[in-house]
């Protein structure tokens, strides 16, 4: 602000004689008379050669220290002094003193000293998560795991690694913190890097902690099941292939409700498309349930339900037909519902409120070697109520000309 009134506009038409520029490379907008200017003290990193100024050099990264009010404008550094300073240090202005006892290189510069690094010696120890428990104060409960070696990687939050190891030790098992040739199995609750590393060895059974809990609940050593495994060793995998199907269901051993639910869940998780025919379902029911299967009451029977304006045309479906419920009942009790009166149909179900298609059904039946029964929907209700198939004779559909199931 002190110099604001002394700045002058620079004109190329009438340049100032004492202000020397380097051709057209540097264009001035304003200038100040030397006798009105201030002397400043600057601290650059070095003096470098430059063709942009008449001095032939310039300052690199200059920082202004202060304004030298103690000096007049003509007491500043001259051009020859600037060149001498540049030459003395090859332009570099950063320097240091060399002590008399300090070693120097051949060029006189001080040798660099090697930095001495002080290392603190720390006692070597196994990380906490890999340390085993102290088993000396554990009271023996049983010898269930006697002679078996376990490696526990992790456990759920409510049953930690330390808790698992205490249970194993209390029931006679031994513990290691890294699997060996004698390791019975590796126990884990979730896949982590260490578990994946063990699995990559492909020689250990990696078992879920749920297997250990099942053993503790049963108070005996239980065999591995496919549902217990995160990974199976080749020997265990071979045994599973002989005793279980692909969904973990044993070929010979009885299955519990929980195991059956787990098997169904496995099927769903694998996205398996398991298709079972009506004949296969009927065979299973007859083999294992005999006549006691209520939901298999109509198994093996095929029905055509008279719910269409034109026989066999689903596009003419009567949406408000009372027989729509009969279709659901037939399927629920194991029967099959056909879209048309095909050769395998055993029963045609009609409703007393609409017998307008009986003549057409009679015509179809007349041309069949294998005759079908045409019954009223009441027959279905009677069978379901009695939980047994009843004779069709008392429930035959009647047309104007007589019973459809007559010999004509």
């Amino acid at each position: 602000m002190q110099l604001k009134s002394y700045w002058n506009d620079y004109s190329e038409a009438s340049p100032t004689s004492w202000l020397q520029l380097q051709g057209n490379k540097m264009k001035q907008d304003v200038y100040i008379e030397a006798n009105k200017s201030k002397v400043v003290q600057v601290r650059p990193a070095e003096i470098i050669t430059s063709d942009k100024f008449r001095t032939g050099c310039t300052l690199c990264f200059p920082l202004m220290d202060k304004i030298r009010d103690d000096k007049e404008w003509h007491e500043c550094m001259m051009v020859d002094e600037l060149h001498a300073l540049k030459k003395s240090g090859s332009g570099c202005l950063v320097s240091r003193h060399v002590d008399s006892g300090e070693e120097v290189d051949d060029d006189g510069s001080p040798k660099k000293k090697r930095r001495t690094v002080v290392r603190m010696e720390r006692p070597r120890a196994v990380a906490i998560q890999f340390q085993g428990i102290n088993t000396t104060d554990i009271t023996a409960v049983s010898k269930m795991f006697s002679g078996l070696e376990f490696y526990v990687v992790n456990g759920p939050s409510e049953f930690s690694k330390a808790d698992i190891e205490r249970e194993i030790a209390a029931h006679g098992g031994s513990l290691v913190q890294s699997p060996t040739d004698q390791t019975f199995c590796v126990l884990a609750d979730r896949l982590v890097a260490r578990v994946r590393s063990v699995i990559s060895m492909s020689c250990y059974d990696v078992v879920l902690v749920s297997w250990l809990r099942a053993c503790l609940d049963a108070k005996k050593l239980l065999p591995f099941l496919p549902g217990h495994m995160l990974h199976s060793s080749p020997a265990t995998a071979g045994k599973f292939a002989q005793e279980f199907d692909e969904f973990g269901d044993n070929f010979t051993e009885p299955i519990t409700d929980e195991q059956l639910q787990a098997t169904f869940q496995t099927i769903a998780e694998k996205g398996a498309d398991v298709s079972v025919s009506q004949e296969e379902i009927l065979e299973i029911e007859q083999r294992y349930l005999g006549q006691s299967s209520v939901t298999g009451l109509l198994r093996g029977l095929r029905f055509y339900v008279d719910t269409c304006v034109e026989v066999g045309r689903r596009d003419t479906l009567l949406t408000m037909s009372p027989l729509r419920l009969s279709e659901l009942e037939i399927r629920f009790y194991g029967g099959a519902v056909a879209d048309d009166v095909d050769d395998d149909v055993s029963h045609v179900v009609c409703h007393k409120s609409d017998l307008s298609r009986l003549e057409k059904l009679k015509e179809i039946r007349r041309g069949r070697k294998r005759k079908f029964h045409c019954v009223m929907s009441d027959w279905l209700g009677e069978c379901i109520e009695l939980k047994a198939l009843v004779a069709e004779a008392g429930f035959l559909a009647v047309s104007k000309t007589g019973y459809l199931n007559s010999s004509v």
Side-chain angles (χ1 to χ4, degrees), residues 127-380:
I128 295 176
Q129 64 268 30
F130 300 119
Q131 292 180 4
I133 61 168
N134 183 3
T135 60
T136 57
D137 58 345
I138 295 178
T139 304
V141 176
S142 74
K143 295 184 179 180
M144 182 182 2
F145 301 133
S146 178
L148 301 180
E149 179 182 277
F150 295 84
Y151 168 43
V152 182
V153 181
N154 56 46
S157 57
E158 73 279 3
F159 195 33
S160 66
K161 177 179 184 293
D163 295 334
I164 296 170
E165 290 178 335
R166 289 190 188 94
E167 291 290 349
I168 292 173
H171 290 83
S174 60
L175 298 161
V176 293
Q177 299 308 312
S178 184
T180 69
D181 294 340
Q182 304 300 318
T183 300
F184 174 65
C185 74
V186 177
L187 286 170
D189 179 67
R190 57 193 179 277
L191 281 173
V192 294
R194 183 55 180 155
V195 176
R196 292 188 179 93
S197 176
V198 173
I199 290 175
S200 67
M201 300 178 190
S202 194
C203 59
Y204 296 104
D205 289 319
V206 183
V207 187
L208 288 168
V209 177
S210 57
W211 168 81
L212 180 72
R213 282 178 158 171
C215 292
L216 296 175
D217 292 340
K219 297 182 180 180
K220 64 178 181 179
L221 182 65
L222 299 175
F224 296 144
L225 297 177
H228 294 143
M229 312 305 291
L230 284 173
H231 175 76
S232 301
S233 65
T236 303
K239 182 180 179 182
F240 285 162
Q242 294 178 352
E243 299 179 358
F244 297 87
D245 63 16
E246 59 181 308
F247 305 113
D249 185 23
N250 195 295
F251 293 130
T252 59
E253 295 295 327
I255 191 170
T256 64
D257 293 343
E258 293 77 11
Q259 291 170 341
L260 183 60
Q261 290 177 0
T263 300
F264 287 152
Q265 183 177 354
T266 302
I267 294 173
E269 290 174 352
K270 290 186 177 182
D273 184 12
V274 181
S275 178
V276 183
S277 67
Q278 289 290 325
E279 291 76 12
E280 291 173 327
I281 295 175
L282 178 60
E283 180 185 354
I284 293 171
E285 286 181 339
Q286 290 177 345
R287 179 185 300 178
Y288 297 105
L289 301 176
Q291 300 299 321
S292 62
S293 175
V294 177
T295 55
L297 177 64
L298 303 178
R299 193 85 64 196
L301 302 181
R302 186 171 176 83
F303 295 81
Y304 173 76
V305 184
D306 184 33
T307 56
C308 299
V309 176
E310 296 185 28
V311 176
R313 288 191 55 181
R314 299 295 291 179
D315 58 334
T316 62
L317 188 68
L318 295 166
T319 56
M320 300 302 292
S321 172
L323 292 177
R324 297 301 298 276
L325 177 59
S326 298
E327 287 185 337
L328 297 176
E329 290 176 333
I330 289 169
R331 290 190 173 96
F332 180 80
Y333 288 97
V337 177
D339 291 336
D340 199 358
V341 189
D342 56 43
D343 293 339
D344 295 323
V345 167
S346 61
H347 292 74
V348 172
V349 180
C350 301
H351 195 271
K352 60 185 178 182
S353 64
D354 183 8
L355 298 175
S356 59
R357 288 166 291 281
L358 276 178
E359 291 300 324
K360 177 64 176 177
L361 293 169
K362 179 178 179 180
E363 181 183 345
I364 295 172
R365 184 176 183 275
R366 190 181 298 117
R368 298 284 176 85
K369 288 185 178 181
R370 179 186 175 187
K371 307 298 182 180
F372 53 79
H373 299 282
C374 189
V375 295
M376 295 294 189
S377 58
D378 296 340
W379 176 79
L380 280 175

Side-chain angles (χ1 to χ4, degrees), residues 74-88:
H74 53 80
E75 295 180 309
C76 66
M77 178 179 285
M78 300 303 175
V79 174
D80 55 347
E81 294 175 326
L82 179 64
H83 284 289
L85 182 61
K86 178 179 183 296
K87 184 177 180 180
S88 65

